[in-house]
Amino acid sequence: MKKLGIYIHIPFCESKCYYCDFTSGVSNNDVISSYADAIVREINEFDSTGYIVDTIFIGGGTPTSVSSDIIEDIVLAIRKNFVLSLVEFTIEGNPNSYTKQKLDHYIRLGVDRVSVGVQSLNDKVLKAIGRVHTSSDAKLCLQLLMDSGLKVSADMMVGLPYQTLDIVKRDAKMVMDSGIGHVSCYSLILESGTKLASKVANGELVLPSDDDAVDMYDAVMYIAKGYGLNRYETSNFGVPCQHNVGYWKLKEYAGFGVSAHSFNKGVRYYNTNNLQDYITGNKYIIDEKPTLAELASEYMMLSLRLDQGVDIEDFKSKYGDKSYNDMMSIAKGQAEYLHIDNRFISIKPEYSYISNSIIEKFI
Amino acid sequence: MSNRQDNIRNFCIVAHIDHGKSTLADRIMEFTETVSKRDSKEQLLDSMDIERERGITIKLTPVTMKYHYKGEDYFLNLIDTPGHVDFTYEVSRSLAACEGAILIVDASQGIEAQTLTNAYLAVDNDLEILPVINKIDLPSARPDEIKLEIEDIIGLDTTGIPLISAKEGTNIEQVIHQVIDLLPPPSGDESKPLKALIFDSVYDSYKGAISLIRVVDGNIKIGTKIKFMQTDKTYDVTEVGIFNPKMIPCEELKAGDVGYVCASIKNVADTKVGDTITLAIGGTTESLPGYKEVSPMVYSGIYPADGARYGDLKDALERLKLNDASLMYENEVSVALGFGFRCGFLGLLHMEIIQERLEREFDLDIVTTAPSVSYNVIKTDGNMLVVANPSNLPSAGEIEYMEEPIVKASLFSPPEYVGTIMDLCQDKRGVFLDITYLDQRRVRIDYEIPLNEVIYDFFDTLKSRTKGYASFDYEIIGYQRSALVKLDLLLNAEICDALSLIVHRDKAYARGRIIAEKLKEVIPRQMFEIPIQASIGSKVIARETVKAMRKDVLAKCYGGDITRKKKLLEKQKEGKKRMRQVGSVSVPSEAFMTILKFDK
């Protein structure tokens, strides 16, 4: 039996954040319920022979913004069509849409990990990026989640308008004071076509410089370490998220829902990112059937984001001597930026925030 | 019957840029019904897009017009001339093909630098000059004052001078009548052996290099065995004809005629402007005067932005050279830019035109290095070296001294800009020669300025500081000993050869500082800190630093979209590939262009 991770995309939100360029938006209940039907249909059509599901991740959008009954329908479909042996079942959501009732329902469905998009605990910052919640919503939510006894993760962002190093430090401490076991910290990427991009372009908002954003990130990393949350991947600290680690280790996964990506049975494919098309009978789109050499370079691209780095023996056994020799010679050319020992190749911590320039050499 | 040459007039139109030369040529062609108004695109004689866009003419295209006047049929050969200083030699050969010239003066701007240069060139070639005042339709026209300027400054009689508007077609007939009445007919001898002046050449992919000629003596027809006196090559004529304005074959061209000759000549370089065509057997031994080998004045390196397109660039230069014998190029290898060419141009405009044509007509992205002039380097061993590429300069220890080309610059301007202009010339190491107040509105200022200063930003700065009112012309007057040094730019301690410059010692510090500052702006941050240094020899005179990059991470792969992430990385990698490697430093192509601009 091969292990499989399942990703469910819930593209609905109470409102769209200004920086967001994902498939997500505001919809009414009829659309939501026919969308759930479409996901259930897609799950049922998946040939699960030979797979055992060990992680589920329900992401979005804002999965907590829809009725938990919708989530139940989807989970029941998964349970019906797949063999499960879960080590982790995560749902993510917003500070103002987690409720005690929903949490109890999620727990009954088997959820054991909750992730919350805090981003910042500064109201001026939150407003500038179009978040619908306030900092006190977030603090109350963190309390609620911690009290549930589930594993809790919080997303934070740096490089946001009005953010200063002091604000970020204060926010990070407040988040970690809750006793949380996992934090993700992302640096804002200004995507073209977003509301934030136009506000920056017309001068309405100013972003901190890249250097300042890196200082903020470094501060979060330093503070996290003080709370025992060690970095294990470029943007992640604490007890590793098994589902995401699956992506980084090229484990097979099946994504259900609009714009979801999948990699299983040797094929990468993805669903349409048009919600109506998806509901009326989506045909997935084949992306590529990666060759062994391509898989080897993807393995490098993904593993080098992990602090542990590339497991040399694992790499060699999966991709053979030629790929191994090629990889080692590139690695030696980059020795200045890498830590290489008998078992692992990893990017030196001081270069982790410019990892792309190192990783690109391997692809 | 009267001599056939009595019914021929060979003339050109000369003017300062924008005074309406091409428009007048168009009107004359319409008036003589050589072209119908319907067919007439604006300014028919300018055949290249770039020329039309800039309103300047570079390529000469003659036209033969038939006109009935006072009971006689006249053949009027109009030879257009380029108005720019880069092409002075070509202008002089075109003038040599004529007996007269129409000199256009703008009714509001009056005499400008090139009005005078061209008028003097015409006088030097013994041409009868027919002044006309154009643009009288403008509200700011002041024809009476301009008449006085023409009389005082050029010394031409303005009695009966046509006051015209080429744009509106006013008084064009008067101009044509004066061409016939006042300009002399040709006076060659048809019975003498053939003697014809090549005043231009064009390339045709079917007919090969075509010589544009003025027959001085004798005649030429299909089958004539001809000899080019400079190249000493002989050919059989395959076609002769006239321009109308398209090429129309005819039986023969005789003394006094203007037309073209095809003789299966492969290369325009074999049909040199200014050369004399005669008979291969029994021809004249005396060539027409005035022939000169054209030599480039300005040089620059041209490289493909994408090294893989070297072959395309080579092909493009070969194609341009087919039609432009004055373009010179040779292979050059730069450590920073790879394989490319060192190109020689007649002047700055010529350089810009070639660069633009490479980009537009051949769809090439090119990197050009800073323009250079050619220096005489006198070495300690007594040998002299001519250096047009700063990288080829011998080490300071081997150089006894250096010489640089000097121009005499004439600047025309309203009096209020005299101070500004003198400041500019002084700043460009100019030596003041003379100042003349032509009238209340115009001053002429003469300076000697090193060409090396003129080729950077002199013209642009002059135009911007005088709000476009000043005009400028120059001629090379010789070489002068000068304290020149080689300014190198180092990136991460390695010299970037494509950025090296030869400059005057006194200018080196300021220029080094400006270039270092500009490079800091255009070189992206990389994984390590990059010191940028400007140096003379081993002495560092300016330093900037590009700080190490701190952030280039991409967002997490949401929902496992690994393909997108991979594509972004590949795109980033691709972007870096397009940059040039100077040692360990990646340098974007535009960095090499920054040193071309020196606005302070």
Side-chain angles (χ1 to χ4, degrees):
Chain A
M1 297 282 267
K2 281 187 286 180
K3 287 182 181 174
L4 184 76
I6 285 182
Y7 175 75
I8 305 290
H9 190 70
I10 305 294
F12 307 110
C13 291
E14 287 168 66
S15 80
K16 194 163 173 93
C17 302
Y18 297 163
Y19 54 86
C20 175
D21 78 332
F22 302 130
T23 305
S24 64
V26 185
S27 292
N28 65 37
N29 284 332
D30 288 348
V31 174
I32 293 170
S33 113
S34 41
Y35 180 75
D37 292 347
I39 287 203
V40 168
R41 196 167 60 231
E42 195 192 1
I43 291 169
N44 289 336
E45 283 166 6
F46 188 91
D47 178 5
S48 64
T49 316
Y51 285 112
I52 183 160
V53 174
D54 66 343
T55 64
I56 299 174
F57 194 105
I58 303 181
T62 314
T64 52
S65 71
V66 303
S67 156
S68 53
D69 292 341
I70 296 283
I71 305 297
E72 176 167 338
D73 291 345
I74 294 167
V75 173
L76 290 179
I78 295 172
R79 288 193 180 280
K80 205 178 95 196
N81 193 48
F82 288 93
V83 178
L84 267 61
S85 173
L86 292 176
V87 296
E88 184 186 277
F89 182 174
T90 307
I91 189 164
E92 70 176 358
N94 264 2
N96 58 333
S97 57
Y98 274 112
T99 62
K100 180 81 173 64
Q101 287 74 13
K102 276 183 183 160
L103 272 176
D104 288 344
H105 198 172
Y106 297 152
I107 290 166
R108 288 201 302 280
L109 296 174
V111 168
D112 68 346
R113 186 171 180 275
V114 281
S115 170
V116 58
V118 172
Q119 319 310 5
S120 170
L121 288 173
N122 183 292
D123 285 334
K124 195 172 181 187
V125 174
L126 290 170
K127 203 171 168 208
I129 57 173
R131 298 290 290 181
V132 288
H133 59 88
T134 62
S135 59
S136 56
D137 290 340
K139 285 175 213 160
L140 287 171
C141 181
L142 277 172
Q143 197 53 55
L144 175 72
L145 297 180
M146 290 308 297
D147 289 348
S148 71
L150 299 171
K151 292 178 270 186
V152 181
S153 173
D155 283 359
M156 298 186 68
M157 291 177 79
V158 297
L160 299 175
Y162 301 117
Q163 252 181 352
T164 62
L165 189 56
D166 283 345
I167 289 177
V168 170
K169 282 182 183 169
R170 210 161 42 224
D171 290 354
K173 278 182 203 156
M174 270 194 278
V175 168
M176 292 176 216
D177 272 342
S178 67
I180 204 162
H182 186 275
V183 167
S184 299
C185 177
Y186 300 106
S187 183
L188 173 75
I189 291 178
L190 200 57
E191 300 286 357
S192 61
T194 58
K195 209 164 178 177
L196 189 62
S198 64
K199 281 171 182 282
V200 169
N202 69 23
E204 195 182 323
L205 289 174
V206 178
L207 298 180
S209 70
D210 276 5
D211 283 355
D212 288 345
V214 179
D215 287 342
M216 293 173 193
Y217 167 85
D218 285 345
V220 172
M221 180 167 66
Y222 184 74
I223 291 165
K225 200 170 183 174
Y227 285 86
L229 306 177
N230 290 320
R231 189 177 71 180
Y232 63 96
E233 191 266 351
T234 310
S235 302
N236 288 284
F237 309 84
V239 182
C241 167
Q242 290 307 314
H243 184 79
N244 281 334
V245 167
Y247 292 140
W248 297 318
K249 294 202 160 167
L250 279 179
K251 201 182 86 178
E252 292 186 63
Y253 52 94
F256 300 110
V258 67
S259 80
H261 286 251
S262 300
F263 174 46
N264 54 66
K265 298 161 193 157
V267 183
R268 289 194 191 287
Y269 58 93
Y270 57 97
N271 291 337
T272 172
N273 55 16
N274 180 300
L275 185 61
Q276 277 313 314
D277 288 354
Y278 180 76
I279 290 172
T280 53
N282 159 70
K283 288 266 185 292
Y284 60 77
I285 302 143
I286 300 273
D287 201 355
E288 56 173 2
K289 294 179 185 173
T291 62
L292 201 63
E294 280 165 344
L295 283 173
S297 80
E298 286 169 15
Y299 184 99
M300 294 305 295
M301 170 179 101
L302 296 164
S303 317
L304 282 174
R305 279 182 73 101
L306 294 168
D307 278 29
Q308 184 196 48
V310 178
D311 182 328
I312 297 174
E313 278 311 312
D314 187 43
F315 182 93
K316 198 170 175 177
S317 69
K318 278 183 170 139
Y319 307 112
D321 284 349
K322 181 170 186 317
S323 289
Y324 164 79
N325 289 332
D326 291 349
M327 183 272 283
M328 285 310 283
S329 85
I330 297 171
K332 277 170 188 148
Q334 299 290 305
E336 201 181 336
Y337 308 109
L338 299 173
H339 180 81
I340 306 176
D341 65 23
N342 290 332
R343 292 188 55 205
F344 293 102
I345 297 173
S346 60
I347 292 177
K348 287 181 183 169
E350 61 268 38
Y351 295 115
S352 74
Y353 232 60
I354 53 166
S355 57
N356 278 346
S357 296
I358 302 160
I359 291 171
E360 69 177 35
K361 303 283 195 302
F362 291 94
I363 62 169
Chain B
M1 184 188 153
S2 64
N3 180 353
R4 62 176 286 280
Q5 290 189 68
D6 288 345
N7 290 15
I8 297 174
R9 296 292 181 275
N10 295 318
F11 68 104
C12 56
I13 307 176
V14 295
H16 187 74
I17 287 171
D18 281 344
H19 282 195
K21 185 174 57 133
S22 300
T23 313
L24 176 59
D26 287 353
R27 285 305 98 83
I28 292 175
M29 279 191 279
E30 283 166 25
F31 204 86
T32 56
E33 292 170 359
T34 308
V35 292
S36 70
K37 189 141 196 163
R38 213 161 17 108
D39 297 340
S40 142
K41 270 193 259 173
E42 271 296 285
Q43 302 183 357
L44 279 162
L45 296 180
D46 296 352
S47 54
M48 296 197 291
D49 285 349
I50 302 167
E51 297 171 25
R52 198 163 290 152
E53 270 169 37
R54 296 181 178 211
I56 48 171
T57 310
I58 297 123
K59 205 72 197 173
L60 334 170
T61 312
V63 62
T64 300
M65 297 168 286
K66 197 171 160 186
Y67 187 69
H68 189 78
Y69 178 57
K70 291 183 182 166
E72 297 269 346
D73 282 333
Y74 286 91
F75 294 90
L76 310 179
N77 293 315
L78 166 59
I79 296 173
D80 198 20
T81 58
H84 194 272
V85 57
D86 286 1
F87 307 98
T88 302
Y89 173 68
E90 279 78 355
V91 178
S92 80
R93 293 308 83 205
S94 292
L95 296 179
C98 302
E99 280 76 40
I102 298 173
L103 175 71
I104 306 179
V105 183
D106 183 299
S108 67
Q109 290 184 13
I111 290 175
E112 293 283 355
Q114 280 140 31
T115 316
L116 212 57
T117 314
N118 287 316
Y120 288 156
L121 270 173
V123 170
D124 289 347
N125 281 282
D126 295 325
L127 263 52
E128 190 68 36
I129 298 177
L130 199 67
V132 304
I133 295 177
N134 187 24
K135 305 195 190 179
I136 54 154
D137 55 305
L138 292 181
S140 55
R142 44 190 185 101
D144 291 338
E145 291 170 52
I146 304 301
K147 274 187 207 173
L148 288 176
E149 275 191 13
I150 294 171
E151 289 184 359
D152 292 349
I153 301 167
I154 311 179
L156 292 171
D157 181 14
T158 56
T159 323
I161 186 171
L163 304 180
I164 68 166
S165 164
K167 194 175 119 205
E168 299 188 347
T170 316
N171 289 338
I172 304 303
E173 190 174 19
Q174 188 190 356
V175 177
I176 297 171
H177 292 173
Q178 286 200 358
V179 165
I180 295 169
D181 291 335
L182 302 178
L183 299 184
S187 57
D189 188 341
E190 273 179 39
S191 61
K192 280 192 182 169
L194 171 67
K195 201 187 244 188
L197 170 71
I198 301 177
F199 61 87
D200 195 14
S201 54
V202 292
Y203 186 81
D204 180 287
S205 42
Y206 297 104
K207 296 174 179 172
I210 300 170
S211 305
L212 277 53
I213 59 163
R214 156 71 195 275
V215 182
V216 177
D217 290 327
N219 63 64
I220 184 168
K221 54 189 165 194
I222 296 175
T224 307
K225 285 194 187 309
I226 54 169
K227 182 171 84 172
F228 286 39
M229 296 182 75
Q230 283 298 329
T231 60
D232 204 30
K233 287 187 179 166
T234 58
Y235 303 92
D236 291 334
V237 173
T238 56
E239 183 179 322
V240 296
I242 60 165
F243 291 90
N244 185 29
K246 293 196 180 74
M247 291 198 284
I248 312 278
C250 66
E251 225 163 84
E252 65 176 335
L253 297 172
K254 295 184 195 170
D257 286 341
V258 169
Y260 67 89
V261 177
C262 307
S264 306
I265 302 164
K266 286 206 183 70
N267 206 315
V268 286
D270 287 327
T271 152
K272 292 174 186 283
V273 171
D275 197 357
T276 305
I277 300 179
T278 189
L279 297 172
I281 300 157
T284 178
T285 51
E286 204 176 310
S287 55
L288 294 160
Y291 175 79
K292 224 169 64 177
E293 281 286 337
V294 285
S295 55
M297 292 315 306
V298 178
Y299 299 82
S300 114
I302 296 186
Y303 293 81
D306 172 1
R309 297 198 66 190
Y310 169 79
D312 294 337
L313 176 60
K314 186 166 187 263
D315 293 344
L317 284 168
E318 271 168 18
R319 293 269 301 279
L320 289 177
K321 173 96 183 155
L322 281 178
N323 226 335
D324 182 352
S326 54
L327 168 67
M328 311 284 174
Y329 64 90
E330 58 183 38
N331 293 330
E332 181 175 274
V333 183
S334 152
V335 178
L337 297 173
F339 289 96
F341 299 90
R342 173 115 316 224
C343 301
F345 311 96
L346 296 176
L348 283 178
L349 179 71
H350 188 212
M351 177 172 86
E352 273 177 45
I353 288 167
I354 296 293
Q355 288 168 357
E356 263 186 67
R357 293 187 67 184
L358 287 171
E359 288 180 336
R360 284 200 209 178
E361 293 171 31
F362 298 92
D363 195 28
L364 285 162
D365 276 337
I366 54 171
V367 178
T368 54
T369 62
S372 169
V373 301
S374 77
Y375 299 93
N376 293 337
V377 180
I378 291 81
K379 300 209 291 182
T380 44
D381 62 11
N383 291 330
M384 190 183 96
L385 201 66
V386 176
V387 173
N389 177 353
S391 301
N392 296 341
L393 199 67
S395 68
E398 291 175 62
I399 300 174
E400 181 72 38
Y401 65 92
M402 284 172 70
E403 292 177 340
E404 63 177 334
I406 305 290
V407 302
K408 182 182 168 198
S410 301
L411 300 110
F412 284 67
S413 165
E416 59 264 39
Y417 298 114
V418 167
T420 308
I421 290 172
M422 291 178 78
D423 283 348
L424 173 64
C425 292
Q426 224 68 45
D427 186 46
K428 298 288 178 186
R429 300 192 280 131
V431 175
F432 174 80
L433 293 179
D434 195 14
I435 182 164
T436 321
Y437 285 82
L438 303 173
D439 61 19
Q440 285 190 333
R441 291 161 185 263
R442 304 214 62 79
V443 182
R444 173 186 171 153
I445 309 164
D446 293 327
Y447 263 91
E448 275 183 18
I449 307 177
L451 180 61
N452 144 326
E453 298 286 345
V454 174
I455 60 171
Y456 284 111
D457 59 346
F458 186 84
F459 191 63
D460 289 343
T461 314
L462 177 72
K463 283 285 170 195
S464 70
R465 291 201 198 164
T466 62
K467 301 193 172 71
Y469 280 111
S471 63
F472 159 66
D473 210 344
Y474 67 84
E475 57 174 326
I476 308 281
I477 54 170
Y479 274 72
Q480 215 167 66
R481 186 167 167 160
S482 183
L484 297 163
V485 292
K486 179 167 165 235
L487 176 64
D488 289 319
L489 272 297
L490 291 80
L491 304 177
N492 207 11
E494 288 203 39
I495 290 183
C496 178
D497 61 351
L499 292 172
S500 294
L501 286 175
I502 293 173
V503 293
H504 192 269
R505 180 174 294 284
D506 297 347
K507 294 289 188 100
Y509 282 81
R511 203 159 275 175
R513 202 177 56 241
I514 293 170
I515 297 173
E517 282 167 8
K518 290 206 165 180
L519 286 174
K520 184 188 171 187
E521 285 166 27
V522 293
I523 295 177
R525 293 169 69 174
Q526 294 170 34
M527 292 170 78
F528 43 86
E529 185 177 286
I530 305 163
I532 300 171
Q533 294 161 302
S535 77
I536 300 169
S538 58
K539 187 176 173 203
V540 174
I541 59 169
R543 185 191 159 113
E544 294 285 340
T545 305
V546 177
K547 286 195 290 177
M549 172 178 61
R550 293 186 60 200
K551 173 187 166 190
D552 74 346
V553 284
L554 298 172
K556 65 174 177 179
C557 19
Y558 290 89
D561 187 356
I562 285 162
T563 313
R564 179 184 179 206
K565 192 177 159 60
K566 203 163 70 179
K567 281 184 180 144
L568 284 168
L569 273 172
E570 279 163 358
K571 205 171 138 195
Q572 175 179 310
K573 192 174 178 178
E574 211 39 53
K576 285 185 188 168
K577 259 196 210 155
R578 278 197 300 275
M579 290 204 261
R580 302 297 180 153
Q581 289 300 314
V582 178
S584 53
V585 183
S586 299
V587 184
S589 293
E590 63 263 29
F592 299 95
M593 318 285 250
T594 60
I595 57 171
L596 306 186
K597 306 229 180 311
F598 278 107
D599 36 17
K600 289 190 230 169

